[in-house]
Amino acid sequence: MKTITTSIAALLLLTGCDNAQTSAPQRPLPEVGIVTLMSQPVSVVSELTGRTTAAMSAEVRPQVGGIIQKRLFTEGDTVKAGQALYQIDPSSYRAAFDEAAAALKQAQALVAADCQKARRYAQLVKDDGVSRQDAEDAHSTCAQDKASVESKKAAQESARINLNWTTVTAPIAGRIGISSVTPGALVTAQQDTALATVRGLDSMYVDLTRSSADLLRLRKQTLATNSDTLSVSLILEDGSTYSEKGRLALTEVAVDESTGSVTLRAVFPNPQHQLLPGMFVRARVDEGIMDDAILAPQQGITRDAKGAATALVVNASNKVELRKLETGDTYGDKWLVLSGLKAGDKLIVEGTDKVTAGQEVKAEEMKAIGGNA
């Protein structure tokens, strides 16, 4: 009887265990929202900062010294190349020119007399009318007088140039700035302080800076060109977009050792003189087209403690993988992914805080994420 009772108790215990196992619910897989990435052509645009400079700029400096008699322009006016700007007292320079002119006339008179004598002696020496030595001396004197005339001509030309330099003219056409001197001021030849500065404003340079690392990254990318490649648009200090487009003219051949940056120069037409030298601007440079670019929603990209970009993707086994990425610029609400993701990858954009790498998940495709790139 005791054996039967024990058997029944054991049977009831097993039945209870089976019921317990059957009633224990299976834990559901965590659900995540994914976006299946696709490659697409993307126009690669770099946004850089810089400042404007005049395409042509010339400082006005005197070539001779003296007292400023007149200022012949209005500050801020547009001047033409060669236009008179200042008049320096020409008295001493006119006297020097007149003296050089008189010396030239004297030398020319000596040439006429001495060379005529040399020609006469050349005839007389044939008939032994004069000695050969006298004839040679007369010929030598004539030659020296001719050389003296050339020297006096050069001296007169130098005096003429100095006299002309007493009228200080505009070296280029453009807008002239503030004058640093007034009538009565003493100026000296090639002084350090400019009298004024003339800037040509019809076209402007925009000098932009880019890190050398970015330049290397761009050169590694295979970019197709189009008609807009290397075109540049400007965003002005007030946030407005400049109406004229420019072109990238050159990239500096050396890296600035103090900043690790490279200077790029763009050229812009400036017909309305809206751009002024020294303005701070932001420029968007069209670098070309990346044919098979990957644009990933920003909410699927995170940064680790070191600032490196990472993403979670669902693999073919429905398990989570952690990817380390290299990202480029942003396009709307998306990152341009340079490495780490490819077309067909299922990027987790919702539920990333509920899963870890290696965990099996249930993935649900999201119909739309954010706005357009």
Side-chain angles (χ1 to χ4, degrees), residues 85-213:
L85 301 178
Y86 297 92
Q87 180 61 58
I88 298 173
D89 183 3
S91 303
S92 60
Y93 298 99
R94 184 174 290 112
F97 175 78
D98 292 343
E99 182 180 1
L104 174 60
K105 289 181 179 180
Q106 183 180 14
Q108 290 171 336
L110 286 175
V111 166
D114 290 343
C115 290
Q116 184 178 4
K117 180 179 179 180
R119 288 192 294 271
R120 186 170 64 252
Y121 276 25
Q123 293 297 325
L124 292 174
V125 75
K126 297 177 182 178
D127 300 327
D128 294 329
V130 295
S131 68
R132 183 174 296 276
Q133 182 64 50
D134 289 342
E136 290 177 353
D137 289 345
H139 178 74
S140 176
T141 300
C142 175
Q144 290 175 4
D145 290 345
K146 288 180 178 180
S148 178
V149 166
E150 296 303 317
S151 175
K152 295 299 190 290
K153 283 182 179 180
Q156 184 188 31
E157 179 64 13
S158 177
R160 185 190 65 80
I161 291 172
N162 287 336
L163 179 60
N164 289 342
W165 274 345
T166 59
T167 301
V168 182
T169 59
I172 62 172
R175 185 79 64 83
I176 193 165
I178 298 173
S179 175
S180 66
V181 296
T182 59
L186 174 65
V187 296
T188 58
Q190 300 176 353
Q191 63 184 32
D192 292 335
T193 303
L195 304 182
T197 301
V198 181
R199 296 179 176 88
L201 301 181
D202 290 337
S203 64
M204 296 290 288
Y205 290 145
V206 177
D207 290 334
L208 310 167
T209 55
R210 161 181 282 158
S211 72
S212 56

Side-chain angles (χ1 to χ4, degrees), residues 48 208 210-211 215 219 230 248-255 261-266 285 287:
L48 308 171
L208 310 167
R210 161 181 282 158
S211 72
L215 186 62
R219 288 180 173 176
L230 302 183
L248 194 65
L250 63 93
T251 299
E252 183 57 89
V253 296
V255 177
S261 61
V262 179
T263 299
L264 290 76
R265 171 164 284 181
V285 183
E287 307 281 0

Side-chain angles (χ1 to χ4, degrees), residues 214 217 221 290 294 296-298 300-303 307-311 323-331 334-341:
D214 282 347
R217 174 177 60 79
Q221 298 174 11
M290 186 181 293
I294 299 295
Q298 290 185 7
I301 309 297
T302 57
R303 301 278 173 177
T310 61
R323 300 278 183 85
K324 292 186 177 181
L325 313 178
E326 181 184 359
T327 58
D329 296 324
T330 57
Y331 290 78
K334 295 179 173 62
W335 280 104
L336 173 64
V337 179
L338 304 176
S339 65
L341 294 175

